[in-house]
Amino acid sequence: MASFRGSIDEHFTTPTAPARVREMLLDTERWKRLQDELQTATELAPGKLEIVLKEHQHGPTRFQGRYTAQWTAEGDTVIWRSVPSPTGNFEVSGSATVTQRGAGSAVHWRESVTADIPVNRLVAKVVAPIADRMMARGLRGYLDRLRADLDRG
């Protein structure tokens, strides 16, 4: 089993007020709409989803991410993270700290993902650059779609 990781740490602004930004970030239906790698997301409880990502195949390697995630708020910060799951092979951990900036908001976005892919060490060396690029592209794509959505309020 090999683990592949991606992360993003970025500051940005949006014209949307902080309370509304936090509300939007806690909205799991909005999260689902903004995903492009999502196969299914089943609500287990308010703010808690069981998530299955689309399958990817590169050569002999196949991977389909599965995890359970929980969204919570702590003051100015929205937090989402994986919670233990018997079928989980993907971990996510993130936070968005939202503060007032003029009439809008400043957001500090931090997110990391880890995929556990069943490959041997030799294959892992070949797959690593592909997996790393895909995870970085996925994080960037989601954040770009989210920022556009936040700007619309």
Side-chain angles (χ1 to χ4, degrees):
M1 183 79 65
S3 292
F4 302 92
R5 294 174 179 81
S7 64
I8 193 166
D9 186 328
E10 188 169 309
H11 294 264
F12 63 89
T13 60
T14 180
T16 304
R20 177 70 178 133
V21 169
R22 287 188 290 275
E23 176 186 317
M24 292 170 76
L25 294 175
L26 287 166
D27 180 352
T28 56
E29 288 302 314
R30 180 179 307 276
W31 178 87
K32 289 191 280 188
R33 282 194 311 274
L34 294 173
Q35 292 296 323
D36 65 351
E37 290 293 322
L38 184 64
Q39 181 170 316
T40 63
T42 305
E43 186 172 18
L44 302 176
K48 186 176 184 179
L49 298 176
E50 182 178 59
I51 299 156
V52 178
L53 302 176
K54 293 177 183 174
E55 184 178 76
H56 287 271
Q57 181 174 355
H58 298 281
T61 303
R62 289 177 173 236
F63 178 75
Q64 184 170 39
R66 296 174 182 274
Y67 65 105
T68 299
Q70 178 79 51
W71 282 257
T72 59
E74 294 179 12
D76 290 342
T77 303
V78 173
I79 299 165
W80 57 98
R81 65 175 59 106
S82 302
V83 295
S85 166
T87 61
N89 62 359
F90 195 84
E91 292 181 20
V92 62
S93 177
S95 66
T97 301
V98 184
T99 56
Q100 188 79 41
R101 164 99 27 106
S105 301
V107 180
H108 182 189
W109 184 274
R110 293 172 296 266
E111 185 169 20
S112 62
V113 296
T114 303
D116 293 327
I117 301 176
V119 296
N120 65 42
R121 290 185 1 203
L122 179 60
V123 173
K125 288 182 181 186
V126 173
V127 172
I130 297 167
D132 291 348
R133 276 194 309 274
M134 287 181 63
M135 289 198 297
R137 189 171 42 242
L139 289 169
R140 166 58 46 212
Y142 175 76
L143 187 54
D144 289 348
R145 289 185 300 279
L146 175 68
R147 288 180 66 176
D149 194 52
L150 291 173
D151 287 352
R152 288 188 293 272

